């Protein structure tokens, strides 16, 4: 029997045990720094514990382990406000005077089944009324972006900048469908970005370097092409490096030695070339898990330093920072770019 990619992902999901957590605890939150359209700012990122991503619950994306951050039940609106308050308490302790807030739900902030329209407004109003907060970003799938939702969000923002972020992953519909199983098209993303733009909401696109079945070289070409395609629609592009998360289809491939996360040299090259070509586009990447066996990596000696260099570029946007570290393993990476098409995975592009 031949199973669809979605059925295969769903089977893997159904074997996972999900730990339950008190409903008034966020799934996670942390602090960092980011380049907010030209200004370096402190950032609080919060992942709300909601009922979760509808797409992920029915199978969903091949690399996504975030679905396991979702709640085992249905936190109430008040529970979710408590989650936000708990994260904001930590801001007090850190004495941050100025910061932006990134909202993730391991799904879609604009999906009514995860965050009701009323709760959406309560959250945004709370953030807009807080003088320390300079901007808000919320992640959503594009199918939930409408003029009506945009206007509702903005009605409580008091003119504070709002940005929608989307896990677009690639502008190539075939790769998004056959390698990621994302369940929406580039057209859908463009439509959402246009709605956002005409309402005065910024757009950030997340791309994914090296989803399954692509060789290192194909993956790099895909991202460079995707940046070109997405530049007219987004102010900021952030490139995630595919890592191996628990309970995912990518993990199965990786266990079978059919997947290797991308090299850090690949993203260094992409950032350099793309920034020179698109100097006004904010380009970034946070190499999560860099150097670990499940993460993007070079050799043991340089992975950590190269990851720091990528983070520094993401904040400064200065391509010169990408020359700061070099290592002998670059030669190996260059060899792999030549050989990978013959030895690795099953390329889906001609
Ligand atoms: S990557 Fe996003 S859309 Fe895909 S399953 Fe995970 S949370 Fe849902
Ligand atoms: Zn090295």
């Amino acid at each position: 029997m031949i199973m669809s990619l979605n059925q295969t992902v769903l089977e893997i999901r159904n074997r996972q045990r999900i730990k339950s957590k008190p409903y008034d605890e966020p799934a996670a939150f942390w602090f960092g720094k980011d380049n907010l359209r030209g200004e370096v700012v402190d950032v609080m990122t919060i992942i709300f514990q909601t009922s979760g991503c509808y797409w992920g619950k029915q199978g969903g994306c091949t690399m996504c382990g975030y679905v396991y951050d979702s709640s085992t039940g249905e936190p109430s609106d008040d529970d979710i406000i408590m989650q936000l308050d708990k994260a904001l308490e930590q801001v007090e302790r850190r004495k941050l005077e100025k910061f932006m807030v990134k909202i993730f739900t391991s799904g879609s902030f604009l999906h009514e089944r995860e965050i009701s329209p009323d709760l959406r407004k309560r959250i945004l109003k709370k953030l807009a009324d807080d003088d320390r907060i300079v901007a808000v970003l919320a992640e959503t799938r594009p199918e939930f972006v409408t003029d009506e939702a945009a206007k509702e969000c903005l009605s409580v923002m008091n003119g504070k900048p709002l940005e929608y972020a989307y896990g677009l992953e690639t502008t190539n519909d075939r790769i998004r469908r056959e390698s990621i199983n994302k369940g929406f098209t580039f057209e859908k993303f463009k439509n959402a970005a246009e709605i956002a733009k005409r309402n005065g909401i910024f757009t950030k696109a997340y791309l994914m370097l090296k989803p399954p079945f692509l060789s290192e070289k194909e993956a790099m070409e895909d991202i460079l092409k995707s940046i070109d395609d997405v530049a007219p629609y987004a102010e900021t592009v952030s490139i995630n490096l595919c890592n191996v998360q628990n309970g995912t289809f990518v993990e199965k491939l990786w266990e079978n030695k059919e997947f290797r996360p991308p090299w850090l040299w690949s993203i260094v090259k992409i950032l350099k070339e793309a920034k020179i070509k698109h100097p006004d586009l904010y380009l970034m990447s946070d190499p999560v898990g860099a150097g670990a066996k499940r993460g993007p990596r070079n050799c043991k000696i340089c992975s950590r330093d190269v990851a720091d260099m990528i983070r520094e570029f993401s904040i400064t946007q200065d391509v010169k920072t990408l020359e700061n570290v070099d290592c002998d393993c670059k030669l190996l990476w260059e060899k792999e770019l030549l050989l990978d098409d013959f030895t690795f995975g099953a390329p889906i592009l001609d």
Side-chain angles (χ1 to χ4, degrees), residues 8 41 53 58 104 120 129 214 235 244 341:
T8 312
V41 291
C53 173
Q58 61 187 40
F104 294 87
R120 194 193 295 156
D129 290 349
L214 295 189
E235 291 77 30
V244 181
D341 281 348

Side-chain angles (χ1 to χ4, degrees), residues 309 312 319-326:
M309 175 170 84
E312 198 187 334
V319 276
K320 286 204 266 337
T321 57
L322 294 170
E323 307 284 349
N324 287 351
V325 184
D326 207 348

Side-chain angles (χ1 to χ4, degrees), residues 13 53 55-56 59-61 63-67 106-107 141 169 182:
R13 297 238 189 273
C53 173
W55 180 249
C61 305
M63 71 300 175
C64 178
Y66 302 125
V67 289
S106 300
R141 286 175 60 96
E169 322 301 6
K182 192 85 199 184

Side-chain angles (χ1 to χ4, degrees), residues 27-60:
F29 65 93
W30 63 88
F31 294 87
K33 284 209 186 293
D34 213 336
N35 187 313
L36 176 66
R37 297 179 290 277
E39 197 190 343
V40 179
V41 291
D42 284 304
V43 181
M44 181 186 92
T45 302
I46 178 164
I47 303 187
F48 283 118
Q49 186 195 165
T50 70
S51 58
C53 173
Y54 88 96
W55 180 249
K57 283 200 275 195
Q58 61 187 40

